Amino acid sequence: MVLWIFGFGSLIWKPNFEYKSRVIGRIKGYKRRFWYRYVKVRGTEEKPGRVATVIEDPEECVWGVAYEVTDENQDQVKSYLIDCRELKTFKDAYILGSVTFYPQDTTVEPIQAMCFLNNPEFHLYITGGESVGESAKVISTAVGPTGLRNDEYIFKLADFLRDEAKVVDEYIFELEQHIKEDQVSQSA
């Protein structure tokens, strides 16, 4: 049985696992928001950064990438994602689910893919969300203990959407613009 994994955040540019194919597309009925406080890689306990989650919303869609994983690599990839990356870093942050992925190439049939979905009970989830401006203020200055900047995450995601997927994501592009404006005003 083929395993497909949908990436909506850093998995897009840094999967760190072997895959057979990579397909650009979207899932419907969800929106991507930066409503998880992140205290490890792109933020600290004192100054949490933000990372993406997908939240149910029947009017929205989330563009990203689906990775096809070969039979011989499935156990290794699942273990890496669950035990070392997504659920180890964020214990209880995500609910492992299945989504219908619609490839950008409409000649390709929709695909069932594994996805890490929002857990609204997660203690670092921003219940009720926050405005784009509030998120941008945090992201524009947050840096993790290893030196990874939080803004890089949004800039890479915006670059993917604009340059590779060639789609408009108003939320991400507005967030990117606010971050850049905040950084200009901070340096003045």
Side-chain angles (χ1 to χ4, degrees):
M1 184 171 161
V2 176
L3 171 67
W4 287 88
I5 298 166
F6 177 65
F8 56 85
S10 62
L11 279 178
I12 291 170
W13 63 86
K14 191 175 180 179
N16 281 354
F17 57 82
E18 286 187 41
Y19 55 89
K20 182 177 178 181
S21 62
R22 178 182 184 267
V23 178
I24 295 171
R26 64 193 166 133
I27 60 172
K28 298 176 183 178
Y30 294 90
K31 63 184 176 185
R32 175 182 19 233
R33 294 295 183 263
F34 280 80
W35 291 351
Y36 276 170
R37 293 178 187 92
Y38 198 33
V39 299
K40 296 201 179 206
V41 178
R42 296 186 186 272
T44 62
E45 291 283 343
E46 301 77 34
K47 189 172 172 106
R50 298 287 186 271
V51 294
T53 187
V54 290
I55 301 162
E56 286 187 58
D57 185 328
E59 303 299 316
E60 298 275 343
C61 74
V62 176
W63 285 89
V65 172
Y67 294 97
E68 179 185 14
V69 180
T70 60
D71 288 344
E72 59 270 10
N73 288 336
Q74 285 185 22
D75 290 341
Q76 179 184 358
V77 169
K78 281 184 191 175
S79 176
Y80 164 69
L81 290 172
I82 293 169
D83 298 333
C84 299
R85 185 170 171 157
E86 304 300 330
L87 295 180
K88 179 183 182 194
T89 304
F90 271 149
K91 184 167 176 27
D92 301 322
Y94 297 107
I95 298 167
L96 192 56
S98 178
V99 293
T100 302
F101 174 82
Y102 299 88
Q104 191 171 43
D105 177 350
T106 57
T107 65
V108 178
E109 291 291 316
I111 299 163
Q112 284 306 119
M114 183 176 94
C115 182
F116 293 92
L117 302 169
N118 180 57
N119 178 0
E121 303 301 317
F122 179 53
H123 71 285
L124 295 176
Y125 173 65
I126 300 168
T127 304
E130 66 185 0
S131 72
V132 172
E134 291 170 318
S135 295
K137 283 190 186 332
V138 170
I139 293 166
S140 67
T141 60
V143 179
T146 62
L148 277 177
R149 298 179 52 85
N150 201 185
D151 60 356
E152 174 191 55
Y153 189 116
I154 285 71
F155 297 154
K156 285 185 175 184
L157 181 55
D159 287 346
F160 161 78
L161 293 164
R162 189 174 19 258
D163 302 335
E164 195 173 347
K166 299 187 184 333
V167 297
V168 173
D169 184 318
E170 291 178 12
Y171 171 80
I172 296 300
F173 293 163
E174 183 181 353
L175 183 59
E176 176 189 41
Q177 185 61 37
H178 275 273
I179 291 167
K180 289 178 178 180
E181 289 170 1
D182 285 349
Q183 290 173 334
V184 166
S185 69
Q186 292 163 13
S187 66

